C-alpha cells in the first residue's frame, strides 16, 4: 500500500478536512474524526498507511 501524508486544514464537528502534502494538490479530503487520532488539531500532520492515520 502507498503511504500518504496529510495536514489537517480544519475540524468541523465529527469531520476533518485534510490536504495532501506529499503531492501538489489543493483538493481536500473529508474524513470522519472517528478514523483519526483523537489528539489532532488544525495544522496537525498525519501519515496514512495500511488504512490507518497516524499523527507525526
Amino acid at each position: 500500500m502507498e503511504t500518504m501524508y496529510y495536514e489537517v486544514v480544519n475540524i468541523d464537528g465529527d469531520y476533518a478536512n485534510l490536504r495532501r502534502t506529499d503531492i501538489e494538490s489543493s483538493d481536500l479530503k473529508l474524513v470522519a474524526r472517528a478514523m483519526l487520532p483523537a489528539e489532532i488539531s488544525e495544522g496537525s500532520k498525519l501519515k496514512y498507511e495500511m488504512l490507518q492515520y497516524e499523527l507525526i
Side-chain angles (χ1 to χ4, degrees), residues 2-55:
E2 183 180 2
T3 300
M4 294 175 252
Y5 294 90
Y6 293 93
E7 178 180 0
V8 178
V9 176
N10 63 25
I11 297 172
D12 186 18
D14 290 337
Y15 295 91
N17 281 302
L18 308 181
R19 179 181 305 118
R20 199 146 167 210
T21 59
D22 58 323
I23 61 169
E24 191 69 35
S25 176
S26 61
D27 295 336
L28 296 179
K29 179 178 184 178
L30 187 64
V31 178
R33 293 276 314 268
M35 301 292 295
L36 301 170
E39 57 275 355
I40 65 163
S41 60
E42 292 182 9
S44 293
K45 307 288 186 197
L46 301 170
K47 177 173 79 169
Y48 179 74
E49 187 174 48
M50 302 289 287
L51 304 175
Q52 294 184 345
Y53 290 93
E54 176 185 339
L55 192 59

